[in-house]
Amino acid sequence: MFKRIDYYAGDPILGLMDKFFADPNPNKVNLGIGIYYDEVGEMPVLDCVKVAEQRIADPIAPRPYLPMAGLPGHRKACQDLLFGKEAQALQENCIATIATIGGSGALKVGAEFIHEWFPQSKCYVSDPTWSNHIAIFAGCDIEVGSYPYYDNATSSLKFDEMIDFFEKLNKYDVVLLHPCCHNPTGMDLTQAQWDTVLDVIKQRELIPFMDIAYQGFGQDMDSDAYAIRKAVDMNLPLFVSNSFSKNLSLYGERVGGLSVVCPSADEAERVFGQLNFTVRRIYTSPPSHGGHVVDIVMNDELLNQQWVSEVYGMRDRIKTMRLTLKSVLETKLPKLNFDYITRQNGMFSFTGLTPQQVEQLQSEFGVYMVSNSRMCVAGLNDSNVDYVANAMAEVLKA
Ligand code: PMP
């Protein structure tokens, strides 16, 4: 009966984690999955989160179902962070926001909604993108295509090609964009480039879907949301999926949000209702623990300030690691150019290594990165950065 079921080859990034843990090499370094590790190689529990956890634990409260849309305080936290507390669209109730099961859950609910209400729309993702973007949209029976984004040969954006591509799309086609810290390339648009992209989106009546999973890891909380806020200022309809996995270091709690910016409060109410119904059909309501942590940290002024500075601490450590990696590589291989390492933002660096070189790094040195050459810079620290740079230099020399 089940013989016709295809085997699942596993997720390439999650599978890499299993391979890493099974590797007996004492020098092994995990630069595969997008997780922030601190200077001693451990996943941090943020101090602001510790305070929130203490408040939740004392007294231990009953666990009712949450509303389909999640906790109001979680939803407000998403809105304030993404759009800015003072956003006019918020004051006019034009933004429908639900709390979701991580950023992945937000993408899924958003894609289901699009499939149901904009059945003709195709979705275009950047080439390359986080592979689950394709899987999630295609999994909702939406046709997925890709737009030019990154040029491996020059380690730079294919900006003109991207604009030409957008100019040929049809009304209501969805373009999936990364407002900051592009995954996997780390190459972001400048503000002027965003302005151009958004002009084309407006003119072609496309639907922008912005997926932001690393807010605070690029420039700062506000600059990282530039594209989102500019789209709202331009009165564009807009979908935003956000994740707190990385910036609250709450990976396993599965906390995120989906916001849909609408032209009017009436439309936002309709959309909010349908988002609730979409959630009801898939999982009824989100889990409560992480939602309470988000609510407490983000809505308490002092804890929020503490959170921002903790995120900036993580951001700065990654930037320092980029500088160190670049300078060791430049010393080892003076003829090669490693400027791309510090031009890229966020957790990832797209190294341009071939799949064979990535494989060699893994088998000879126990250095794990994704086969498309994406390295999670947040896995580097003072104790392993020289080792990784040396290993990279060896495979680049070969
Ligand atoms: N979007 C992007 C671009 C991501 O990198 C990730 C996480 N790797 C997500 C969404 C999903 O976030 P979450 O882990 O919260 O589901």
Side-chain angles (χ1 to χ4, degrees), residues 108-118 239 258 260 270-272 274-275 278 281:
K108 173 69 180 171
V109 175
E112 285 285 350
F113 176 92
I114 287 167
H115 176 62
E116 169 130 24
W117 296 98
F118 298 87
F239 287 71
L258 174 67
V260 185
R270 290 165 190 268
V271 169
F272 184 66
Q274 289 303 325
L275 294 180
T278 308
R281 293 196 301 259

Side-chain angles (χ1 to χ4, degrees), residues 102-104 107 130 133 178 183 211 213-214 243 245-246 254-255:
S104 305
L107 286 157
W130 181 51
H133 282 154
H178 306 218
N183 179 4
D211 180 32
Y214 303 90
S243 166
S245 299
K246 330 275 168 167
R254 314 306 298 125
V255 270

Side-chain angles (χ1 to χ4, degrees), residues 11 104 107 129-138:
D11 182 84
S104 305
L107 286 157
T129 193
W130 181 51
S131 60
N132 218 17
H133 282 154
I134 301 167
I136 289 174
F137 278 81

Side-chain angles (χ1 to χ4, degrees), residues 31-154:
L31 308 176
I33 197 164
I35 290 181
Y36 177 87
Y37 295 104
D38 64 15
E39 56 286 350
V40 289
E42 277 169 19
M43 181 187 290
V45 180
L46 302 188
D47 287 337
C48 56
V49 168
K50 286 182 192 158
V51 175
E53 293 287 4
Q54 275 156 0
R55 285 192 201 164
I56 293 168
D58 187 20
I60 293 177
R63 308 290 149 105
Y65 287 123
L66 297 193
M68 292 176 271
L71 287 173
H74 180 160
R75 293 166 43 216
K76 178 178 168 359
C78 295
Q79 294 186 331
D80 290 350
L81 182 63
L82 296 168
F83 305 103
K85 273 194 170 101
E86 309 303 327
Q88 205 183 331
L90 275 181
Q91 294 179 6
E92 292 173 359
N93 296 320
C94 290
I95 307 183
T97 299
I98 61 166
T100 57
I101 304 182
S104 305
L107 286 157
K108 173 69 180 171
V109 175
E112 285 285 350
F113 176 92
I114 287 167
H115 176 62
E116 169 130 24
W117 296 98
F118 298 87
Q120 309 301 332
S121 298
K122 293 183 185 160
C123 174
Y124 292 89
V125 299
S126 61
D127 176 24
T129 193
W130 181 51
S131 60
N132 218 17
H133 282 154
I134 301 167
I136 289 174
F137 278 81
C140 294
D141 279 339
I142 295 174
E143 198 177 317
V144 181
S146 63
Y147 58 83
Y149 188 77
Y150 187 77
D151 187 356
N152 247 329
T154 57

Side-chain angles (χ1 to χ4, degrees), residues 162-173:
M162 173 175 154
I163 294 296
D164 288 348
F165 189 93
F166 287 168
E167 270 168 353
K168 294 188 192 95
L169 296 182
N170 295 317
K171 182 171 172 175
Y172 294 162
D173 276 344

